[in-house]
Amino acid sequence: MSTPKIVTSSPKIIVHWLNQSRANYIIWFLEELGLTYEVKVYERDKNMRAPEELKKIHPLGKSPVLEVDGEILAESGYMMSYLLKNYDKDYRLTPSSIALQNKVDYYLHYSEGSFHPPEVMLVVLNVTRKKLPFGIKFLGGKILDAIADNYALPEVVTHLNYLENNLEGQEYFCGDKLSAADIILSFPLRNSLKLLRNPERERKNYPNVLAWLDRISKREGYKKAQEMDKEHPAKF
Amino acid sequence: MSTPKIVTSSPKIIVHWLNQSRANYIIWFLEELGLTYEVKVYERDKNMRAPEELKKIHPLGKSPVLEVDGEILAESGYMMSYLLKNYDKDYRLTPSSIALQNKVDYYLHYSEGSFHPPEVMLVVLNVTRKKLPFGIKFLGGKILDAIADNYALPEVVTHLNYLENNLEGQEYFCGDKLSAADIILSFPLRNSLKLLRNPERERKNYPNVLAWLDRISKREGYKKAQEMDKEHPAKF
């Protein structure tokens, strides 16, 4: 006699994955939800640019982009909130209280809307610095440093301090359970620590963040996403 | 005989408003929802910076920040989705279908997460250009132009083209009714058109966006928000 089984219809998900991008945390996110997915790999060129093919998937030509049952989803925060709403049936990543759910929603907006931009600006300034022709390397470097020091770097430090405080006395950003907030923040947080002027010395100012990074890096889904980047190393 | 009346409890809202900021669209948003609110005014200094007092409200020291019944809310997209969920009782800004509601949610993430950052970078480059000491004005200007031309400006143009296409055949971004998507996009869209290399000539490439700007600028709430900036002009 066979036991009747409830079958939940799983969506067909394709991840359009670009190396060295935020697409990694979507892989981790899907792993935590226990959803099955296919990965379509794209690689950045020598100038760090995403390939043109990505524009066929979504006109902005960015990654991550998801296909969920044929529908194209873009914007990491939106994708995560969409998947949580529709496919986190057993509340693996959804916290129990409305207050904590609101907090997750806040971080999904905060990470991309406030935290990422100064970090991206620092990356762009660093890339530009490397490309400066020899004749103007010194002066050009000074100007780029001035932009970084006057705007982007202090912003990154402000965010690191803010997040360090927010982790005080708790294991994850929204209480003591992993949530989408931790996953979306993982990429810019790791990157920001590397972008400090003296990363080795300054990272010590963020013990809560370091303990949290250590905690998340032990999760199977996180490791799986990291493996993806090792398999497709950067060419730039 | 008096007719019994249903009284909906209205939240006590304080808008921490900074001139020349995205706080304007929160004013417009609250006007469209028909909610009452108080405004606390902050003004930027000569270096375009927000005053320190704002850090007492929220550690990131940004505006807009809202207080809703004593709770502090930050991140424009999050604030709007929170207010829509809790206080748009008569569906003034909420579209009727789930598909359109998802679209609004997408734009609330897209506007701040993807559209704003390159525009903010262009503004920072322009401010830096103005501050360059006389001796390095020419060379420094060339370097700043190179960053703008290689990254920020093409990104802004990509977004303008994308949004122009998305408006094809419809009055507003999510169908034929004003939504939070229009409100959050209004500030970066207006700004982006001004940041083009030849604004006068290039804005003609965006007839749908111009018609939409004309349409929204006739709304009373939009005008009220614009008035706020006239009353508190920039000092920088």
Side-chain angles (χ1 to χ4, degrees):
Chain A
M1 204 182 91
S2 67
T3 320
K5 207 171 148 190
I6 295 162
V7 180
T8 315
S9 73
S10 296
K12 180 171 162 51
I13 299 178
I14 303 169
V15 183
H16 294 274
W17 182 92
L18 177 70
N19 61 349
Q20 303 287 322
S21 84
R22 293 171 247 184
N24 270 357
Y25 53 47
I26 293 293
I27 298 286
W28 178 22
F29 184 84
L30 292 167
E31 288 287 329
E32 292 287 349
L33 282 192
L35 292 170
T36 52
Y37 54 91
E38 283 172 34
V39 180
K40 190 150 185 242
V41 171
Y42 301 79
E43 294 191 16
R44 290 185 191 275
D45 65 16
K46 285 179 187 158
N47 294 315
M48 249 183 99
R49 289 214 175 86
E52 283 291 307
E53 300 157 77
L54 264 172
K55 287 193 180 144
K56 290 180 198 154
I57 312 300
H58 187 281
L60 295 176
K62 297 267 177 69
S63 168
V65 173
L66 282 188
E67 267 178 81
V68 180
D69 286 339
E71 202 183 336
I72 301 293
L73 306 183
E75 296 302 319
S76 306
Y78 173 66
M79 279 177 214
M80 290 191 189
S81 86
Y82 182 92
L83 292 170
L84 285 176
K85 205 164 57 185
N86 294 291
Y87 302 109
D88 189 14
K89 301 291 183 201
D90 43 3
Y91 302 100
R92 295 188 188 191
L93 286 177
T94 306
S96 50
S97 77
I98 301 245
L100 285 175
Q101 283 180 40
N102 283 340
K103 215 169 170 180
V104 171
D105 197 17
Y106 162 75
Y107 277 121
L108 291 184
H109 281 278
Y110 160 81
S111 185
E112 300 292 294
S114 284
F115 188 23
H116 247 305
E119 184 228 314
V120 171
M121 196 184 293
L122 267 189
V123 172
V124 171
L125 293 173
N126 288 345
V127 171
T128 311
R129 189 180 289 111
K130 281 184 195 158
K131 282 186 181 175
L132 285 174
F134 183 75
I136 58 165
K137 227 175 182 54
F138 181 75
L139 183 58
K142 290 265 175 219
I143 293 167
L144 296 172
D145 284 349
I147 304 175
D149 290 343
N150 282 322
Y151 178 80
L153 205 51
E155 280 277 303
V156 166
V157 169
T158 298
H159 285 291
L160 282 172
N161 292 338
Y162 173 65
L163 294 167
E164 172 70 13
N165 283 336
N166 289 4
L167 276 174
E168 190 61 40
Q170 57 190 60
E171 295 207 349
Y172 297 100
F173 278 101
C174 298
D176 290 325
K177 184 186 159 191
L178 185 85
S179 76
D182 302 289
I183 299 178
I184 203 165
L185 288 166
S186 62
F187 184 86
L189 250 175
R190 223 177 37 216
N191 244 7
S192 294
L193 290 172
K194 289 182 199 155
L195 290 166
L196 293 167
R197 270 280 186 265
N198 297 294
E200 281 311 308
R201 203 177 64 207
E202 290 175 64
R203 58 189 274 128
K204 290 175 190 138
N205 299 333
Y206 306 105
N208 293 334
V209 169
L210 294 179
W212 169 86
L213 268 176
D214 191 49
R215 205 170 285 130
I216 60 169
S217 63
K218 286 176 180 138
R219 299 190 74 99
E220 289 310 311
Y222 181 93
K223 287 184 206 164
K224 189 153 179 178
Q226 296 296 101
E227 280 305 313
M228 292 279 302
D229 257 338
K230 282 184 200 149
E231 284 167 28
H232 305 278
K235 289 178 195 141
F236 46 87
Chain B
M1 208 185 83
S2 67
T3 320
K5 205 169 147 192
I6 296 163
V7 181
T8 316
S9 73
S10 295
K12 179 171 163 52
I13 298 177
I14 303 170
V15 184
H16 294 275
W17 182 93
L18 176 71
N19 61 349
Q20 304 286 322
S21 84
R22 293 171 246 185
N24 270 359
Y25 54 48
I26 293 293
I27 299 285
W28 178 23
F29 184 83
L30 292 167
E31 289 287 330
E32 293 286 350
L33 282 192
L35 292 169
T36 53
Y37 56 89
E38 284 171 35
V39 180
K40 191 150 185 242
V41 170
Y42 301 80
E43 295 192 15
R44 290 185 190 274
D45 66 15
K46 285 178 186 158
N47 294 316
M48 248 183 102
R49 290 213 174 86
E52 283 290 307
E53 300 157 78
L54 264 172
K55 288 195 178 143
K56 290 180 198 155
I57 312 301
H58 187 281
L60 295 177
K62 298 267 176 69
S63 170
V65 173
L66 282 188
E67 267 178 81
V68 180
D69 285 338
E71 201 183 339
I72 302 293
L73 306 184
E75 297 301 321
S76 307
Y78 173 66
M79 283 177 211
M80 290 190 189
S81 86
Y82 182 93
L83 292 169
L84 285 176
K85 204 162 58 184
N86 293 291
Y87 302 111
D88 189 14
K89 301 292 185 201
D90 43 2
Y91 303 98
R92 294 190 188 191
L93 285 178
T94 305
S96 51
S97 76
I98 302 245
L100 285 174
Q101 283 181 40
N102 283 340
K103 213 168 171 182
V104 171
D105 198 17
Y106 163 76
Y107 277 120
L108 290 184
H109 282 278
Y110 161 81
S111 184
E112 300 292 294
S114 286
F115 188 23
H116 247 305
E119 183 227 314
V120 171
M121 195 184 293
L122 266 189
V123 172
V124 171
L125 293 173
N126 288 346
V127 171
T128 311
R129 190 179 287 112
K130 279 184 196 157
K131 282 184 175 175
L132 285 175
F134 182 73
I136 58 165
K137 230 177 179 51
F138 181 75
L139 185 57
K142 289 267 175 216
I143 293 168
L144 297 172
D145 284 349
I147 304 176
D149 289 343
N150 281 321
Y151 179 79
L153 204 51
E155 280 277 303
V156 166
V157 170
T158 298
H159 286 292
L160 283 170
N161 292 339
Y162 173 65
L163 294 167
E164 172 71 12
N165 282 339
N166 290 2
L167 277 173
E168 190 63 38
Q170 55 190 61
E171 295 209 347
Y172 297 99
F173 278 101
C174 298
D176 289 325
K177 183 185 159 191
L178 185 84
S179 77
D182 303 289
I183 299 179
I184 202 164
L185 289 167
S186 61
F187 184 86
L189 250 177
R190 223 179 32 218
N191 245 6
S192 294
L193 290 172
K194 288 181 199 157
L195 289 166
L196 293 167
R197 269 282 184 267
N198 298 294
E200 280 313 307
R201 203 179 60 206
E202 292 176 63
R203 57 188 276 127
K204 288 174 193 141
N205 299 333
Y206 306 106
N208 292 335
V209 169
L210 294 178
W212 169 85
L213 268 176
D214 190 52
R215 206 169 286 131
I216 63 169
S217 64
K218 285 175 181 142
R219 299 190 74 101
E220 288 310 311
Y222 182 94
K223 287 185 204 161
K224 188 152 180 180
Q226 296 295 101
E227 280 304 312
M228 291 281 300
D229 258 337
K230 281 184 199 149
E231 284 167 28
H232 304 278
K235 288 176 193 142
F236 47 86

